[in-house]
Amino acid sequence: MTHYVYLVRHGEQQDAEHGMPDGPLSARGRRQAALIADRLSGVPLDTVWHSPLQRAAQTAEIVAERLPAVSPQPHALLFDCVPTGMTPDTPGVFEPFFGGITEEQIEAGHAQMADAVSEFLARKPGDAHDLLITHNFVIAWLVREALQMPEWRWMTFNQANCGLTVLAQKPGRPWSLITHNDVAHLPAELRTGLPEALPY
């Protein structure tokens, strides 16, 4: 009687290093998406939701091609967003990140993530397996929320492209973090998207 939530960051975006806000997957991103599909092939997924942005939608399409029993659906609560600004507890080292982000964007992101928590981390009866294909900051916020950490701690969680994070909740218990940013299904040359290279 466990509710599982599988969190996957989209595959690598084409020309992401040139600052494109959204775009199609790169060839490497398509390979990443195929490998995460293979990794999840034995999971009895009940629902598959994805961000409407192209890079996440294409990742979901590739997953569906390899897992024909699933029917991914876009969900507006999985859009990329910035869920907080600087808080009194946020270490000063993070302040430069917020230089180009408006108060309106932060307010919208915070409201979106509050709704996402209510939608995706609400306890379901029986066994449930939900896959969310979304963005780095969204996954970071949901992990932070599941662990009941201070708001600013979302900034300390980073996910590789098509890395796998799994949350689980049994009846009467809090959420557990089963695995975070598992990239065992990705060969070293496909482990992209982190601010620092993995040491293995």
Side-chain angles (χ1 to χ4, degrees):
M1 306 289 284
T2 305
H3 180 194
Y4 293 95
V5 178
Y6 305 85
L7 301 167
V8 171
R9 186 183 180 189
H10 58 80
E12 182 187 68
Q13 179 185 329
Q14 183 177 318
D15 295 325
E17 68 273 15
H18 301 305
M20 288 177 61
D22 192 25
L25 296 180
S26 66
R28 188 159 50 182
R30 291 192 294 273
R31 290 176 61 202
Q32 292 164 341
L35 289 170
I36 189 62
D38 292 345
R39 177 73 184 276
L40 295 170
S41 62
V43 177
L45 295 170
D46 298 300
T47 60
V48 180
W49 298 102
H50 64 85
S51 161
L53 292 176
Q54 186 178 10
R55 57 193 185 269
Q58 282 194 348
T59 303
E61 289 170 7
I62 293 169
V63 169
E65 288 171 3
R66 298 175 83 90
L67 302 177
V70 307
S71 299
Q73 300 294 322
H75 203 302
L77 293 178
L78 296 177
F79 265 116
D80 204 4
C81 69
V82 176
T84 67
M86 287 290 290
T87 72
D89 299 326
T90 307
V93 68
F94 293 113
E95 189 167 4
F97 170 82
F98 297 103
I101 299 169
T102 67
E103 285 297 322
E104 291 76 15
Q105 288 173 311
I106 292 168
E107 289 176 10
H110 198 270
Q112 176 187 323
M113 286 298 92
D115 289 344
V117 166
S118 297
E119 178 77 13
F120 301 118
L121 297 187
R123 171 69 195 170
K124 291 186 175 180
D127 287 323
H129 298 264
D130 301 328
L131 170 60
L132 311 181
I133 299 172
T134 181
H135 305 277
N136 192 35
F137 296 165
V138 175
I139 295 172
W141 185 264
L142 293 175
V143 170
R144 181 218 61 81
E145 178 67 25
L147 298 179
Q148 292 294 287
M149 301 177 80
E151 285 195 347
W152 68 269
R153 289 299 304 273
W154 70 271
M155 301 195 71
T156 65
F157 291 100
N158 289 285
Q159 287 69 224
N161 295 116
C162 288
L164 176 63
T165 294
V166 183
L167 303 174
Q169 187 183 50
K170 294 181 182 293
R173 298 186 185 184
W175 283 97
S176 296
L177 180 62
I178 303 301
T179 187
H180 177 255
N181 195 42
D182 185 344
V183 293
H185 52 286
L186 299 173
E189 67 272 16
L190 294 185
R191 296 175 183 178
T192 63
L194 291 172
E196 296 182 20
L198 291 172
Y200 56 86

